[in-house]
Amino acid sequence: MSRKPKLERFKENVSSKYQIYNSIFMTLPFDGISNTGVLLPLFSEICEKEYALDKNPSEIVQKFFDRYVEKDKTEAEKIDLLFRFIQYIERQVVLFDAVEDASFAIVNNMDGRGTLRNIKEEAEEKQKLEALKNYLKHFKIRPVLTAHPTQFYPGQVLGIITDLAQAIEKNDLLAIKKLLAQLGKTPFFKKEKPTPYDEAVSLIWYLENVFYHSASKIYNYIQQNIFKDEEIGNQVIDLGFWPGGDRDGNPFVTTEITLKVAERLRSTILLNYYRDIRKLKRRLTFDGVEKRLAHLERMLYDNVYLRKEEGMLSLITFEEELKAIKTMIVEKHQSLFATEMDDLINKVKLFGYHFAMLDIRQDSRVHQGVFENIVDVMKSKGNALFSEDYAKATAEEKVKMLTEISEVIQPEYFEEEITNSTVSSIYAMKTIQKRNGERGANRYIISNNQSAVHVMEAFTMLRLCDWKQPVVDVSPLFETVPDLQAAQAVMRTLYTNEAYAAHLKRRGNKQYIMLGFSDGTKDGGYLMANWSIFKAKEELTTISREFGIKVIFFDGRGGPPARGGGKTHQFYASLGSTVEDEEIQLTVQGQTISSNFGTLESCQYNLEQLLSSGISNEIFSDATAEFSKESKETMEKLASVSYDTYVAFKKHPMFLPYLERMSTLKYYAKTNIGSRPSKRSKSKEFNFSDLRAIPFVGSWSQLKQNVPGFYGVGTALEHMEKNGEFDQVINLYENSAFFRTLLENSMMSLTKSFFKLTAYMKENEEFGEFWTIIFEEYERTKRMLLKLTGYEELMENQQAGKASIHAREKIVLPLLTIQQYALRKIQELQKDPETNEAELKTFEKMVTRSLFGNINASRNSA
């Protein structure tokens, strides 16, 4: 099967199966109206035909009503039918997800390019096996699960997807019918916002049921087939976790929540060990072995179920006991089931008592206010931290003052809630480390980091909390284009600071630096954001090497190309030797978790792809990954023109009004998909700086315009063409894997755009010109990318991926039509001074409900 082209495998195992199971689903009368499933295909057909004739969403909906809905139906009944269509389409998307998940291992060659087996064979062929082993002794990947609100599926629906995928894989028609019926009865809409703890529990499901098995399977393969059962001495795969620790912009994350999440992580990993030991006991029934396993089983049972701490072994002792049992098996029992014992030992190496590493994150502006409050309160207590006025000091003076501080503070000193919670969160890190081990919580991230003072304030707060030598890595997060440009100077100040340099030495001379794609793109556009991050990585690599520091980059990525997503493994494989690559760390969030890591096969495949991207970059380095001087100059020109184009677009007087009144932006807050507020401030005014990247990018996606993923790219390419410099761009494309990857991801954004949906806007008196500007840049970017690549169509080299996108877009086209129909109705009603408020709220609800299916179908649209 795997020898057939990927597109053919996709058509046979996904497209065809979906059509079969969808036909069953459409006949299930779960909504009480048997003809809803009959009418939806007719509505879908009308949508496709009428958009081809340049009709608008209102005309399309009306034509459907006129042709297929009885004349005596009331307006309320017609509205009800549209809501039922939304419900059906949401579930069609779930069905497609399940079919695609079930076929993952067939469509994607699990031993093909980018997999560990392929890497091992290539290393053997090129006589680089020793180099591969040496690299794996220190190289790591760390996917960090975040609860950023892009996951629209509630937990029970995720469970149905998993069960449905398994039933489809087995072709169990009876189970499929029952699950489809269950799906029809299961609500998608969340009436209440989840708490941060709810979000954590949802994501821990993936750790427990997917990552636990897939990550250990990969580690076992490396140990057995590459190291031939030698000790690796390196975890290779770490797991990171943000829910419960990410305080940036989320007032609902408290110290209590942080501790509760850490405890849930601990109890879940112990439960998994308990289950594995129970299974081992059924096989290791040998004299001397059984009793030792039974003792461990009882210890874990008492801790997990009875909350007894007595007799709980330390992590080191637990691992030593497992190794001792394995030695006994080898020496006295002919190594029977030794491999199964190795599997558990490896899991303990990977996950310890912490399961995933819980990061703490806070905004530098919050820190600044907190620190000034600490200074004032301590002064009022007669224990001034500084002899001079800290608030009035220069940046250089502040760094010096912060270096010399040596007091101890307690949370109860501070009545200001944010100060109290910030200080207590640091004490919580100490508590978690004592309970779960150092890896349980050992990184503090400062978002919106603009200066060395911001890092030093966080570092100083750690020391103030009775932690003279903090066992914590302080990580600045550089996000905007100006912050990225200033990053090198910030790190030079820190590396030359005596106290901070001593801290780094204690931490193994490693510095973690986070770089944010989301706000970078929102701030400077697609090309400039990615190029600025690349340049920042090069500069930070250079200066870190100058000071003997190993810099570890942590990428804050979202799902779509506009937020650093797309084909991420291709991106990492394209970086070259001028960027430090000892670890690959990236955020994974929302529906990207379920789509890339939702099943054992997809999780294993995508973890292996990440591993291989780092390995390829180092061991099988491609000369095209390196930038020549001329290529850098070309890239700089493209990024500069693209940046100017995007900034001018942002400054257009209709930019914010268009988003506020013509998109779904303001409806994101009503979806109850995340605990975090949808904007940064509580102000009722609509400000660009307050917009979070997720609803910003997601709103363009709902419009099927995907502006952040391409705007400025076409103008930049055309500029080079008009200046007679297009040969330079061709040379860059042919010789830079980084540039090719950027453009391929931008093509994905274009492929997911559909301007006929909103073409009616060009006739709008207020927004017509602005819509035309966007459409012209879309057409320009498409034309220039096809010219540069030589393709006849977008994503020509990724036919299976393109087929998946088209299948999903076809499913949600009626949904998007309903959404635009409702938005147009809202605009009409808002102009009427005698508007019926109940009617207005109905259409607003329709817009909100229609967000779910579209985001889920796109899988990486926010």
Side-chain angles (χ1 to χ4, degrees), residues 98-118:
V99 172
E100 207 163 36
D101 285 348
S103 307
F104 188 91
I106 299 172
V107 175
N108 298 277
N109 187 348
M110 298 296 285
D111 292 322
R113 187 170 180 79
T115 63
L116 279 174
R117 179 175 174 178
N118 177 260

Side-chain angles (χ1 to χ4, degrees), residues 150-196:
T150 61
Q151 176 55 274
F152 281 67
Y153 290 141
Q156 60 267 36
V157 174
L158 289 171
I160 295 171
I161 294 176
T162 302
D163 294 341
L164 195 51
Q166 291 172 355
I168 289 168
E169 206 169 344
K170 297 171 185 173
N171 290 313
D172 186 342
L173 192 57
L174 183 60
I176 291 166
K177 281 192 76 169
K178 283 185 176 180
L179 287 164
L180 288 175
Q182 180 190 354
L183 187 63
K185 295 282 188 181
T186 303
F188 277 43
F189 190 72
K190 298 176 182 178
K191 294 180 181 177
E192 295 179 358
K193 287 175 77 70
T195 67

Side-chain angles (χ1 to χ4, degrees), residues 340-360:
E340 287 81 353
M341 199 70 209
D342 272 336
D343 176 56
L344 179 56
I345 292 169
N346 288 341
K347 284 170 177 170
V348 174
K349 286 178 187 173
L350 287 173
F351 309 120
Y353 282 167
H354 65 285
F355 211 161
M357 305 165 86
L358 185 63
D359 288 335
I360 306 296

